[in-house]
Amino acid sequence: MEGDVVEYRIDRGSGVPAYVQLVEQTERALRMGTLRVGDKLPTAKEVVAACAINPNTVLRAYRDLEQAGLVELRRGLGTFVTRSLASPAAEDDALRAELADWTARARAAGLERADILALVTAALDHHEQQHHEQQQQEDA
């Protein structure tokens, strides 16, 4: 998939269907600004070769993305991004650098990917709960 903006990776041990992984990876690339409106996704043939999955799996993922209004399949030309999910803050280099440093420290401390994801999710949940409680106090 030389020169493509996104490179898909399938984790066969995750228990998540391959087509869902493709959709999630595409959405993540859209949120991070890695994929932008007008970018072309890899062809199904390229994804099949890179990931050793069934072509129907790729086509299902691309169909799901199209139904979500994120991409457009242009017959004979390929699949193109039609909508971004990126927020300006997602492209903030300082935030990315801080997160990269924190992730490196977490890895150095022996945390696995699942541990890091659990920590980030717990921190987000805590932040959202505090925000919700603050909103309730303000509304009272």
Side-chain angles (χ1 to χ4, degrees), residues 1-139:
M1 295 188 306
E2 182 88 21
D4 287 318
V5 180
V6 63
E7 285 189 34
Y8 295 112
R9 302 216 186 305
I10 302 301
D11 179 358
R12 297 185 193 304
S14 72
V16 177
Y19 81 93
V20 173
Q21 292 183 51
L22 295 175
V23 169
E24 289 174 347
Q25 290 174 39
T26 303
E27 289 174 343
R28 189 175 313 118
L30 288 167
R31 287 190 192 292
M32 296 301 298
T34 307
L35 276 176
R36 300 178 188 277
V37 172
D39 284 346
K40 182 180 177 187
L41 295 184
T43 65
K45 186 176 181 179
E46 291 170 329
V47 178
V48 167
C51 300
I53 58 176
N54 187 300
N56 291 328
T57 301
V58 181
L59 296 176
R60 179 171 182 185
Y62 283 12
R63 256 192 327 271
D64 285 1
L65 291 165
E66 184 177 40
Q67 288 174 348
L70 299 174
V71 302
E72 175 184 52
L73 287 98
R74 299 180 192 157
R75 196 156 211 87
L77 297 175
T79 304
F80 294 85
V81 174
T82 56
R83 186 164 62 99
S84 174
L85 296 175
S87 69
E91 296 182 21
D92 184 317
D93 289 336
L95 283 176
R96 284 186 186 205
E98 287 178 46
L99 187 55
D101 289 345
W102 180 86
T103 303
R105 289 196 316 274
R107 283 293 203 175
L111 296 178
E112 297 294 327
R113 179 184 180 87
D115 301 323
I116 293 170
L117 290 172
L119 277 174
V120 171
T121 301
L124 284 170
D125 290 347
H126 178 73
H127 175 75
E128 289 170 2
Q129 180 62 33
Q130 284 184 324
H131 180 73
H132 179 70
E133 289 171 4
Q134 182 180 8
Q135 287 297 110
Q136 285 182 328
Q137 289 175 355
E138 290 174 5
D139 292 342

